Amino acid sequence: MLVQEFIVAAKRIEKSMSETSPHILVVDDHRDIRETLARYLIKNGMRASMADSAAQARKMLNAASVDLVVLDVMMPGEDGLSLCRHLVESNGAPVILLTAMAEDTDRVVGLEIGADDYVTKPFNPRELLARIRAVLRRTALVSKDRDPVLSEKLAFDDWVLDLSRRHLVGKDDVITPLSTGEFQLLVAFLKRPKMVLSRDQLLDLTSGRSPNIFDRSIDNQVSRLRRKIEGDAKNPHLIKTVWGGGYTFTADVRDPEL
């Protein structure tokens, strides 16, 4: 589908469906996969557009608002991991990666750079739809979870978290990108400093993801967040493990303007 055709189709879709329906961009160089998935998403009440490459996806993302990107890792030209990194660093739409069953490295690297979830090929469309809905719920919670008594910026240790922009800013104003899950987890800690939070509580506070392998485990989510905010992730001083209890955030949280 050419970019001009995409723009026309997007406008037509917007007229025929509610503006509240999530708009999903499916990026895959295999026509059968992207078209079948797009039809399935539309059948289940979502708006869906398609791109056959990262380059085409970038043009589409600039042309219309997209709520989530389903992104194949292995594509000719720019690969999916590169586009995923761009979306995370620019606070773009959340990303679910499509990875080959045997490529554990792609999955781990994708999660490390900030992908929100992944599904291995061949995949069950119902499972992917459930994961899309879960990520959209987390994204919605992030945007709604604003405590009026808190500043829009929260400072701790050498960091400042900008809640409105979802920026984590460190020394020398360097921005460290956070995935939706990492941001939600950090907000949960910053709003409850010095409290022991169990794994079940953290699951509830981050929209109830069930523990599983890789990023679907709170322990692995905490490990990835530690690697971004701790000076030594192997000897953390900000997020402490409470044996048998969960985790506690030890730093003082303050308003950076005061």
Side-chain angles (χ1 to χ4, degrees), residues 9 44 47 78 81 110 123 140 163-164 178 207 221 224 226 239:
N44 284 275
R47 294 175 290 157
E78 181 184 8
L81 293 177
F123 57 86
L163 295 173
S164 61
L178 297 173
S207 76
Q221 187 81 285
R224 293 203 307 278
R226 277 172 169 165
I239 303 175

Side-chain angles (χ1 to χ4, degrees), residues 1-17 23-25 38 42 46-51 60 63-65:
M1 183 181 293
L2 298 175
V3 175
Q4 289 299 324
E5 292 175 340
F6 160 76
I7 296 172
V8 172
K11 291 180 179 178
R12 188 183 301 119
I13 291 171
E14 288 176 356
K15 289 181 179 179
S16 63
M17 300 184 69
H23 186 189
I24 313 301
L25 176 60
I42 292 171
M46 297 185 178
R47 294 175 290 157
S49 299
M50 297 172 287
M60 293 180 174
S65 175

Side-chain angles (χ1 to χ4, degrees), residues 15-70:
K15 289 181 179 179
S16 63
M17 300 184 69
S18 169
E19 291 183 357
T20 60
S21 299
H23 186 189
I24 313 301
L25 176 60
V26 180
V27 187
D28 197 302
D29 61 316
H30 290 90
R31 180 177 179 180
D32 289 346
I33 293 176
R34 65 176 183 270
E35 291 188 351
T36 300
L37 179 55
R39 286 195 297 270
Y40 184 80
L41 294 175
I42 292 171
K43 181 180 177 181
N44 284 275
M46 297 185 178
R47 294 175 290 157
S49 299
M50 297 172 287
D52 61 10
S53 65
Q56 190 178 63
R58 285 176 181 266
K59 294 178 181 178
M60 293 180 174
L61 289 163
N62 290 330
S65 175
V66 171
D67 297 299
L68 183 142
V69 179
V70 177

Side-chain angles (χ1 to χ4, degrees), residues 194-227:
K194 312 296 177 67
M195 292 176 57
V196 176
L197 299 173
S198 70
R199 290 170 176 79
D200 287 341
Q201 287 174 314
L202 289 171
L203 283 168
D204 290 338
L205 292 169
T206 54
S207 76
R209 286 201 292 176
S210 299
N212 205 328
I213 59 173
F214 295 112
D215 73 324
R216 289 181 295 282
S217 160
I218 281 294
D219 293 327
N220 283 331
Q221 187 81 285
V222 168
S223 294
R224 293 203 307 278
L225 185 57
R226 277 172 169 165
R227 286 195 288 272

Side-chain angles (χ1 to χ4, degrees), residues 105-174:
T105 300
D106 286 342
R107 295 199 291 273
V108 173
V109 171
L111 297 173
E112 290 289 348
I113 65 178
D116 294 274
D117 206 343
Y118 74 89
V119 173
T120 56
K121 293 181 177 181
F123 57 86
N124 184 321
R126 290 182 61 186
E127 179 188 0
L128 179 54
L129 178 62
R131 294 191 183 282
I132 288 172
R133 288 173 171 165
V135 172
L136 290 173
R137 284 196 300 270
R138 293 200 297 275
T139 304
L141 285 172
V142 166
S143 63
K144 292 178 181 178
D145 190 13
R146 297 287 187 268
D147 190 331
V149 304
L150 291 176
S151 167
E152 283 298 300
K153 292 183 179 181
L154 298 176
F156 64 96
D157 198 51
D158 293 324
W159 300 95
V160 175
L161 181 66
D162 187 325
L163 295 173
S164 61
R165 296 183 178 180
R166 250 183 65 175
H167 282 174
L168 179 61
V169 184
K171 294 180 179 179
D172 301 322
D173 294 327
V174 175

